[in-house]
Amino acid sequence: MFDYIIIGAGMTGAVMAERIASQLGKRVLIIERRNHVGGNCYDYFDDAGILVHKYGPHIFHSKSAEVWQYLSQFTEWNIYQHKVLAAVDGVEIPVPFNLNSLKLIYPQQLANSLTAKLISQFGYGRRVPILDLLNTDDSELKMLAQFIYDKIFVNFTYKQWGLRPEELEDYVMARVPVIVSHDDRYFADEFQGVPRYGYTKMFESMLAHQNIKLMLNTDYRELLTVNHHTKQIKFMNQLFEGKLIYTGKIDELFDFCYGELPYRSLDFKFITLFQTQYQAAGTIHYPNDYDFTRITEMKQLTGQNHPFTTIVQEFPRACGRKDIPYYPVPQPQNHELFTRYQQRAAEYPNIIFSGRLADYRFYDMHEAVSMALNKFAQDLGR
């Protein structure tokens, strides 16, 4: 019998399994519904031989040396500083919106005036939320904020969530910044890159431990049951007395007893082109045109040398129960529903809930790694 069973071989499950196996010397079984490890970070070589991210672009970035060094045990890195453009009124401008964006949108005199006011009022290098600009007394800064809201944010938000900004929690809009600098990077973190041989190879290295057993193409409900009255767990009809680490949808474990937590899902269209490069940046947003939200050119992220290129278009949509859930929908009533499930989960002493689906919260990769390392240290490392 295993000491630990982990549901899900994504970032959270893989980190927890590696720590348990290598630091505690305990036996771990990972049960994964899909036919691969890595969750949404999974990558593979397409028919043209180009390394692509199956579930959309993933660029690792972190301010934490601890997180970077932890993953560096399992991969070398291609250092990559991600840059994103947005197609606005026929011009491709850097986003988040910065001082370089100003020069591409406005006449020189107005751009210089706005630049001077931003630096004077907020300081060079600051990330100013658009709400702060909308609430300023300066008419030119208000005009700038309204332009960013109308041309970059509002329609993109509706495509992404199927909701207007006012229907979402306030923090969604509060995260839209203006960068008071000429730094075009999408992320400002100290550590940025993509695994040199791909995310899948990194995960395979993490899980290549004699104490880890992996079962793919397996729904955990085929092997494991949780008695919601006694709180007992059975694995293959035998009482399981170890710890269950659950990284799946929290409402699913409880048979959606309080109702279903809503998510947004994504469809992807991969296109291979017989040319060396397609676009001017790794990712270009289309906030106002087309049904897709963005196009990513995979080679620009991975640094692969190849005569052809593969791009991927991203189409957000509603998420059904059998679809892949990507983003929890940030509305107050959804977090109230999650809180009910969270309170129910606290009644199960042998189950550890962790990860974006179990926590009903979107985590960037570095956040998922950090959360898993902290969870291990707090709950299991003693």
Side-chain angles (χ1 to χ4, degrees):
M1 184 61 75
F2 296 95
D3 301 297
Y4 294 85
I5 296 175
I6 298 177
I7 308 302
M11 187 67 82
T12 299
V15 171
M16 295 285 277
E18 188 281 325
R19 290 288 84 185
I20 292 166
S22 68
Q23 303 303 302
L24 302 182
K26 301 293 187 179
R27 298 187 66 218
V28 185
L29 172 66
I30 305 177
I31 303 174
E32 170 57 51
R33 185 176 295 170
R34 301 187 224 187
N35 63 355
H36 59 74
V37 297
N40 292 347
C41 300
Y42 171 73
D43 52 19
Y44 68 99
F45 288 93
D46 66 13
D47 291 340
I50 298 171
L51 184 64
V52 299
H53 299 172
K54 181 173 182 178
Y55 305 100
H58 284 76
I59 300 96
F60 190 84
H61 59 97
S62 178
K63 293 180 174 67
S64 169
E66 177 189 7
V67 168
W68 181 263
Q69 290 165 5
Y70 171 75
L71 291 180
S72 296
Q73 299 176 84
F74 312 107
T75 186
E76 299 175 28
W77 298 94
N78 284 334
I79 303 304
Y80 170 72
Q81 305 277 322
H82 192 45
K83 294 186 178 182
V84 177
L85 302 175
V88 177
D89 294 342
V91 180
E92 293 178 351
I93 63 173
V95 290
F97 199 94
N98 60 36
L99 301 183
N100 295 327
S101 312
L102 278 175
K103 296 177 182 178
L104 293 170
I105 290 295
Y106 294 113
Q108 182 176 350
Q109 185 175 354
L110 179 54
N112 290 340
S113 174
L114 288 166
T115 297
K117 288 181 177 181
L118 286 169
I119 294 173
S120 174
Q121 187 159 335
F122 299 103
Y124 191 83
R126 287 285 305 278
R127 298 173 68 90
V128 183
I130 190 174
L131 286 175
D132 290 359
L133 291 184
L134 285 170
N135 293 327
T136 186
D137 294 329
D138 188 282
S139 60
E140 285 189 348
L141 291 180
K142 279 183 178 291
M143 174 202 67
L144 172 62
Q146 195 64 50
F147 175 87
I148 296 170
Y149 179 83
D150 291 339
K151 296 290 187 176
I152 297 176
F153 181 65
V154 65
N155 293 328
F156 189 93
T157 298
Y158 188 78
K159 285 200 286 185
Q160 181 74 16
W161 299 106
L163 297 166
R164 301 281 297 177
E166 58 269 19
E167 298 177 277
L168 299 167
E169 291 189 328
D170 291 342
Y171 79 85
V172 176
M173 187 171 175
R175 290 177 60 186
V176 181
V178 173
I179 312 299
V180 189
S181 80
H182 296 89
D183 187 350
D184 279 343
R185 297 177 303 163
Y186 196 71
F187 306 112
D189 295 342
E190 179 180 356
F191 303 100
Q192 300 187 43
V194 177
R196 179 163 297 172
Y197 307 107
Y199 286 99
T200 301
K201 290 294 184 183
M202 181 184 76
F203 279 97
E204 289 173 349
S205 178
M206 292 174 69
L207 300 176
H209 194 286
Q210 61 183 3
N211 288 339
I212 298 175
K213 169 73 174 177
L214 180 65
M215 297 183 70
L216 300 176
N217 282 314
T218 305
D219 189 317
Y220 71 90
R221 291 170 295 189
E222 299 172 15
L223 303 173
L224 186 145
T225 59
V226 178
N227 188 310
H228 294 297
H229 297 290
T230 66
K231 310 298 187 292
Q232 290 182 330
I233 303 167
K234 285 191 175 181
F235 174 65
M236 298 182 68
N237 294 319
Q238 295 184 46
L239 185 64
F240 176 67
E241 297 181 342
K243 290 284 188 180
L244 173 65
I245 299 172
Y246 183 79
T247 72
K249 293 166 65 175
I250 190 170
D251 52 351
E252 180 181 279
L253 186 71
F254 296 113
D255 302 318
F256 308 101
C257 62
Y258 301 132
E260 198 162 347
L261 288 165
Y263 291 85
R264 291 290 281 178
S265 191
L266 296 168
D267 288 328
F268 300 98
K269 183 178 181 180
F270 290 86
I271 303 170
T272 298
L273 302 168
F274 302 110
Q275 59 194 70
T276 56
Q277 186 170 328
Y278 175 75
Q279 58 191 26
T283 298
I284 296 183
H285 287 188
Y286 292 86
N288 306 306
D289 304 313
Y290 309 107
D291 292 333
F292 50 80
T293 52
R294 59 182 178 175
I295 296 178
T296 297
E297 186 170 11
M298 287 296 167
K299 278 190 350 181
Q300 294 202 42
L301 276 58
T302 64
Q304 184 180 6
N305 184 17
H306 197 288
F308 305 151
T309 192
T310 295
I311 63 172
V312 57
Q313 299 171 344
E314 200 165 311
F315 300 83
R317 62 174 175 83
C319 183
R321 186 172 291 189
K322 294 184 178 180
D323 295 325
I324 295 173
Y326 286 88
Y327 303 110
V329 179
Q331 293 182 295
Q333 64 267 32
N334 299 336
H335 289 288
E336 291 172 8
L337 178 57
F338 166 69
T339 298
R340 296 186 67 189
Y341 281 113
Q342 190 177 39
Q343 292 168 346
R344 179 83 179 269
E347 302 171 3
Y348 292 70
N350 291 327
I351 304 179
I352 296 171
F353 294 82
S354 189
R356 62 185 183 88
L357 300 180
D359 294 339
Y360 196 65
R361 177 180 172 185
F362 179 77
Y363 292 131
D364 277 327
M365 289 180 287
H366 68 284
E367 294 173 316
V369 174
S370 180
M371 291 287 291
L373 291 174
N374 290 336
K375 181 79 72 171
F376 170 79
Q378 294 169 6
D379 295 351
L380 304 177
R382 294 186 296 274

